[in-house]
Amino acid sequence: MKKTLLILSVIFLAVACKNKEDKTEETTTTEPKAAAGYAYSETFNQSMNNVLNAYYSLKDAFVASDTVKVNAAGAALKSLLDSLKLDEVQKFDTLGFSSINGRAGDVAAELSGMLGEKELEKKRESFEMVSNAFYDMVRVIKPTGATIYYQYCPMAFNDKGAYWLSNADSIMNPYFGKKMLTCGEVKETLKF
C-alpha cells in the first residue's frame, strides 16, 4: 500500500511539474510579437518619420498644383534626406541596405533638379522618380509604425502611368491635381 501511494505521489508530482512547464511555454508564446519593422533607434525612427512627412507634404503640394508649395516642400525634403543616416538599416538587412545605399543621395539630386525647373509638369516628372525611389526605400527600411499606401494613376504622363506614396487610402492624385483629383487606385498597403 505504501509502495502504491509513493508511486502515485511521484506520478502526481511529475504531472504537476509537466503542467507547470506547459503553462510557462503557453505564456511565452502568447506574448505580443514585435512590430513588423526593425528595432531602429528612436533617433533614426524620428528622422525617417520626418522624411516621410516631408514627402507627403511634397505630394500634397502637387495635389494642390501650387508651385511655391512644391518648391518649399521639395527643399525641406532634400534637407531632411541629406541628414538621414541609412547606415542603421545595414544592421538589420545587409542585402536590402546594399540595394538602397545611395538612393537618398539620388533623390536629393533629383529634388535639386526639380527645384530648378520652372514648369509644374516638369516638376511632376521629377516627383515620379522621387516616388519610385521612396517606394524602394520604405520596403527595405520598414519604418516603425508606418502604414503607407502605394497608389497608381494609369493616365499620368500620357497614359504611361505613375506611382506615388500616401499616408491615406483615399486617392488625391499628385500628377493631375484638380484636373483629375481622384484618378487612381491603391496598389499596395504597406504596414510596418
Side-chain angles (χ1 to χ4, degrees):
M1 178 84 169
K2 286 183 179 181
K3 200 174 195 182
T4 306
L5 201 61
L6 182 60
I7 292 174
L8 285 176
S9 296
V10 170
I11 292 173
F12 178 77
L13 186 59
V15 169
C17 288
K18 176 69 175 148
N19 285 342
K20 184 176 181 183
E21 287 174 11
D22 289 346
K23 286 180 184 176
T24 303
E25 287 177 11
E26 287 172 20
T27 303
T28 304
T29 58
T30 58
E31 288 179 12
K33 301 281 184 191
Y38 299 122
Y40 296 119
S41 69
E42 187 59 38
T43 302
F44 181 82
N45 286 331
Q46 186 60 50
S47 180
M48 188 62 200
N49 192 36
N50 292 341
V51 167
L52 280 173
N53 287 332
Y55 171 86
Y56 297 141
S57 293
L58 179 61
K59 179 214 34 120
D60 292 342
F62 277 113
V63 169
S65 299
D66 186 326
T67 305
V68 173
K69 286 182 180 177
V70 165
N71 288 340
L77 178 57
K78 182 184 177 312
S79 174
L80 289 168
L81 279 170
D82 288 341
S83 63
L84 184 63
K85 306 285 186 234
L86 290 177
D87 295 349
E88 197 165 329
V89 176
Q90 191 171 17
K91 295 177 192 175
F92 300 101
D93 186 353
T94 305
L95 184 60
F97 172 76
S98 67
S99 73
I100 64 166
N101 190 20
R103 293 299 291 231
D106 295 343
V107 172
E110 187 67 29
L111 288 168
S112 291
M114 183 195 80
L115 293 171
E117 293 290 344
K118 300 288 183 216
E119 297 177 31
L120 188 59
E121 292 311 308
K122 291 287 186 186
K123 291 178 183 292
R124 283 186 164 124
E125 290 173 14
S126 291
F127 180 70
E128 178 190 20
M129 181 273 170
V130 168
S131 295
N132 292 337
F134 259 78
Y135 175 71
D136 293 341
M137 289 170 61
V138 298
R139 288 188 52 157
V140 170
I141 295 170
K142 299 175 174 57
T144 305
T147 299
I148 301 167
Y149 300 93
Y150 188 52
Q151 299 177 337
Y152 177 71
C153 172
M155 297 176 69
F157 305 115
N158 295 318
D159 297 330
K160 182 186 110 190
Y163 292 89
W164 71 93
L165 305 176
S166 180
N167 55 349
D169 63 350
S170 59
I171 301 296
M172 301 294 279
N173 190 320
Y175 297 109
F176 285 109
K178 296 173 187 172
K179 292 178 190 174
M180 293 175 42
L181 189 61
T182 59
C183 177
E185 63 182 312
V186 174
K187 286 292 194 176
E188 186 176 358
T189 300
L190 305 166
K191 291 184 179 189
F192 303 111

